[in-house]
Amino acid sequence: MIALANPIRRRGRSGGGRGARGLAHASGGASGGFTLVEVLVALTIAAVALMASLRAASNLTEGALDLRARAFAQWSAENRLAQIRAQGEWPSTGRREYPCPQGDLELVCREVVFTTPNPWFRRVEVSVYPAPGSPLAGAGSGGAGSGSVRLARLVGFAISGQIQ
């Protein structure tokens, strides 16, 4: 009797009925791995995450280049006001434009000189724009007067040489 009981038990465990192993075969996933749909969903999520990180890196790079251009433009404006102070210039009122490159950037400075209520002072406003045709000029590439983006603006005062 003992000899007959062992084969019956083995047959019951080996899949004669529908145990856990039998259900795995019936559903089509016997290996325990990922289905094609799961792999495609994971790849889609990874692709979206990579594209978002590339966009963020691009924005950081663009921001750094813009900051560099604005710093160079500020230096150009500061140079002009320092030149007026150092040379004791008494600039004539009105507007003038001139190239003011800084580093490898081609820039255009627009200087506007105003009279003040005090006749011994003049207000000097220096605005810096990308030069026409430069990559910074973008859509409004017509120079300082055509609506291109102003990179820097600095205001200073010139003192008449007669009161020094």
Side-chain angles (χ1 to χ4, degrees), residues 73 100 106-110 127-131 143-145 147-152:
C100 55
E106 294 298 322
L107 302 171
V108 174
C109 289
R110 180 174 57 197
S127 299
V128 184
Y129 297 87
S148 64
V149 177
R150 180 175 58 202
L151 298 174

Side-chain angles (χ1 to χ4, degrees), residues 108-161:
V108 174
C109 289
R110 180 174 57 197
E111 180 180 308
V112 183
V113 180
F114 302 96
T115 58
T116 62
N118 185 334
W120 304 109
F121 291 91
R122 292 226 170 124
R123 183 173 148 228
V124 181
E125 180 180 311
V126 180
S127 299
V128 184
Y129 297 87
S134 76
L136 293 172
S141 61
S146 70
S148 64
V149 177
R150 180 175 58 202
L151 298 174
R153 177 177 176 254
L154 198 58
V155 177
F157 291 89
I159 302 170
S160 173

